[in-house]
Amino acid sequence: MPVPTDRKPQRGAWWLRRSDSESVLRVARRMAENLRAGPTGPGVPSALRDLRKLLDVDAVGIADLSGAVQWSGGPHAEADAMGAVADVVHTETRSGRPPLVAMPLLVQEELAGVLVVDGEVRMSAVREATAWVEDALDHGRLEHSAELAAQAELQALRAEISPHFMYNAMTVIASLVRSDPERSHELMLDFAEFIRYGLARHRDYTTVSDEFHAIETYLALQRAVLGERLRVQIRVAPEVLAVAIPYLVLQPLVENAVRHGMEPRFTPGSDSSGTVQVRGEAEDTDLVISVEDDGVGMDPAKAEAILAGKGPPESVGLANVDRRLRSVYGAWYGLVVETAEGAGTRVVVRVPRFHPGVMP
């Protein structure tokens, strides 16, 4: 039986002509962006306008857990709508049916808000709209959780600046005040610069240039502490100096090379020496930085455990850096550790030279 070509879609049925599909997908993506900040975020009014248009109803509202509602359009009976919202907040179950229905918005199995729809619309369309909103809120919460985790890991890296190193550095500086005041002054400036950079606030990304300057300062202080036994080689290609990378990525790797790779070799009475090499260069569209030492090395299984966050408390730096890199650039990126007992350690960082959102 032929279908009449002039038949109109039923209101709220979400029947789409093929030419409308791209428009609806764009609206869905825009709604997801606008709902990322939650049911009270600044994008909610725009998301409600889009949702009201898609459902073709008189009013759509989103309430937070306090019961306060933001509306697009005007409900026919606001008192009834507010009563339905209160019911959902207390019972976490649906209240009513079209033309006035309030739906719980569940995010990670917890009530995050209430969606209110006022108008002639199919219940199936309301359920689909609720699922869209829940997915957008869930995605936004996950992104926020990832940001909080990254900030916590950055704070952990700041807190991990070794008190033992700081004490030794200050002791060396103090010992040179009379015998070599000029050298003492230079080291004090290096120490102040190192602390300033390591404890800087409100910084997510920096440049390769700044990170290399920070590790040069750190290694200058370590050489003052450890003496000529510690040799240092730093090479960075000019074309990567301006590349943006996450803040405080390299210093923990260099500190790990000195503390866990080199210092165990420098036992009292030993004349052992060793080298820490840091290189930065471009490989096609990637930035590759390596931190290598010829120290004591470790069992590869131990290195794997450390990257998985299962190492000793003093090794948290490597795991934190690895997680931060994967969080920013994706699962394909992170640290590669090459090591063996007695054979030193090489840690490689490979990241894109250009990545959306990564800028100093």
Side-chain angles (χ1 to χ4, degrees), residues 13-84:
W14 283 12
W15 290 354
L16 303 172
R17 296 188 304 272
R18 183 172 298 177
S19 61
D20 293 333
S21 60
E22 290 185 6
S23 175
V24 171
L25 289 172
R26 282 195 298 269
V27 170
R29 185 176 65 250
R30 188 168 64 233
M31 283 174 51
E33 292 286 337
N34 286 325
L35 290 171
R36 280 185 176 181
T40 59
V44 168
S46 177
L48 290 174
R49 287 193 296 271
D50 286 334
L51 189 56
R52 180 187 172 202
K53 181 178 179 181
L54 283 176
L55 290 172
D56 190 21
V57 292
D58 299 308
V60 174
I62 289 182
D64 60 18
L65 297 182
S66 72
V69 185
Q70 296 188 65
W71 290 101
S72 174
H76 290 97
E78 187 168 355
D80 292 343
M82 298 304 294

Side-chain angles (χ1 to χ4, degrees), residues 9-181:
Q10 186 174 349
R11 194 178 191 191
W14 283 12
W15 290 354
L16 303 172
R17 296 188 304 272
R18 183 172 298 177
S19 61
D20 293 333
S21 60
E22 290 185 6
S23 175
V24 171
L25 289 172
R26 282 195 298 269
V27 170
R29 185 176 65 250
R30 188 168 64 233
M31 283 174 51
E33 292 286 337
N34 286 325
L35 290 171
R36 280 185 176 181
T40 59
V44 168
S46 177
L48 290 174
R49 287 193 296 271
D50 286 334
L51 189 56
R52 180 187 172 202
K53 181 178 179 181
L54 283 176
L55 290 172
D56 190 21
V57 292
D58 299 308
V60 174
I62 289 182
D64 60 18
L65 297 182
S66 72
V69 185
Q70 296 188 65
W71 290 101
S72 174
H76 290 97
E78 187 168 355
D80 292 343
M82 298 304 294
V85 169
D87 288 344
V88 174
V89 170
H90 287 97
T91 66
E92 299 188 13
T93 58
R94 187 187 81 198
S95 177
R97 294 187 63 84
L100 178 62
V101 57
M103 300 288 291
L105 296 171
L106 301 177
V107 178
Q108 298 175 18
E109 300 183 354
E110 294 181 357
L111 185 66
V114 182
L115 177 68
V116 190
V117 178
D118 188 336
E120 295 295 338
V121 62
R122 285 189 175 185
M123 193 62 214
S124 59
V126 175
R127 292 193 188 97
E128 190 67 26
T130 302
W132 275 21
V133 175
E134 287 177 336
D135 287 345
L137 294 176
D138 184 51
H139 185 65
R141 181 175 291 187
L142 288 174
E143 284 190 340
H144 182 61
S145 297
E147 290 174 0
L148 290 178
Q151 292 172 9
E153 288 175 346
L154 185 55
Q155 292 297 330
L157 288 172
R158 289 189 177 110
E160 202 192 45
I161 295 175
S162 171
H164 179 67
F165 159 71
M166 295 174 68
Y167 173 80
N168 286 342
M170 290 301 294
T171 299
V172 169
I173 292 170
S175 70
L176 294 173
V177 169
R178 291 186 178 179
S179 62
D180 193 345

Side-chain angles (χ1 to χ4, degrees), residues 214-354:
I215 62 174
E216 284 176 341
T217 302
Y218 170 78
L219 288 170
L221 291 165
Q222 281 288 18
R223 290 201 71 198
V225 172
L226 299 173
E228 296 300 321
R229 294 176 296 176
L230 177 63
R231 296 188 294 268
V232 174
Q233 295 180 4
I234 299 177
R235 298 175 182 174
V236 57
E239 63 266 24
V240 301
L241 288 174
V243 173
I245 57 176
Y247 168 68
L248 210 60
V249 162
L250 299 185
Q251 191 273 335
L253 307 185
V254 175
E255 183 169 353
N256 182 77
V258 174
R259 291 176 60 191
H260 305 297
M262 306 308 305
E263 286 187 0
R265 292 185 56 177
F266 302 155
T267 55
S270 170
D271 59 354
S272 297
S273 61
T275 303
V276 173
Q277 301 179 67
V278 187
R279 293 187 175 91
E281 57 190 348
E283 288 189 7
D284 296 326
T285 60
D286 287 346
L287 162 68
V288 179
I289 299 174
S290 63
V291 178
E292 185 173 0
D293 67 76
D294 56 3
V296 297
M298 71 180 85
D299 185 335
K302 180 180 179 181
E304 184 177 357
I306 288 173
L307 285 182
K310 300 176 182 178
E314 65 271 14
S315 65
V316 67
L318 284 181
N320 278 357
V321 169
D322 184 61
R323 281 194 296 269
R324 288 174 62 218
L325 291 173
R326 294 179 189 277
S327 174
V328 172
Y329 297 106
W332 289 104
Y333 295 94
L335 299 182
V336 175
V337 179
E338 303 168 358
T339 187
E341 293 183 355
T345 301
R346 182 171 183 258
V347 181
V348 180
V349 178
R350 179 185 292 271
V351 297
R353 293 169 64 186
F354 307 99

